[in-house]
Amino acid sequence: MTTAYVETWLLALAITQIAEVPVYLALTRVRVGRALSLSFVTHPVVWFVIAPLCTSTGMTNWQMFVLAELFAWIAEAALLRSYGVRWRLALLASLVA
């Protein structure tokens, strides 16, 4: 893993936070720290576990994208549920984000 890969991940994480946190705040009314925690939990798994695993198994970029997004959607919804957000709203907010 190169320094450039980590720097690219940090930029992608920042962009993800900028895009997703307002969605979570508006739809679920969780506190800012909890909204930030969602991507802080899932983003490293996508970049440092799922992406290399998919690459090493020969998955296409599209397959990797679908797997990564499904993981992030369900994991972030589960975290929202653990914060007291109803399942239906948690799944919707995570899907929108």
Side-chain angles (χ1 to χ4, degrees), residues 2-62:
T2 66
T3 302
Y5 188 77
V6 174
E7 289 172 351
T8 302
W9 168 68
L10 288 171
L11 177 60
L13 176 62
I15 292 167
T16 300
Q17 294 289 21
I18 290 166
E20 291 185 358
V21 168
V23 172
Y24 286 127
L25 293 175
L27 294 179
T28 67
R29 301 187 190 272
V30 295
R31 295 188 316 257
V32 172
R34 287 186 170 184
L36 287 166
S37 74
L38 299 168
S39 291
F40 276 123
V41 169
T42 60
H43 213 270
V45 175
V46 168
W47 275 71
F48 298 109
V49 177
I50 293 176
L53 181 64
C54 289
T55 301
S56 70
T57 59
M59 293 178 94
T60 66
N61 286 341
W62 178 248

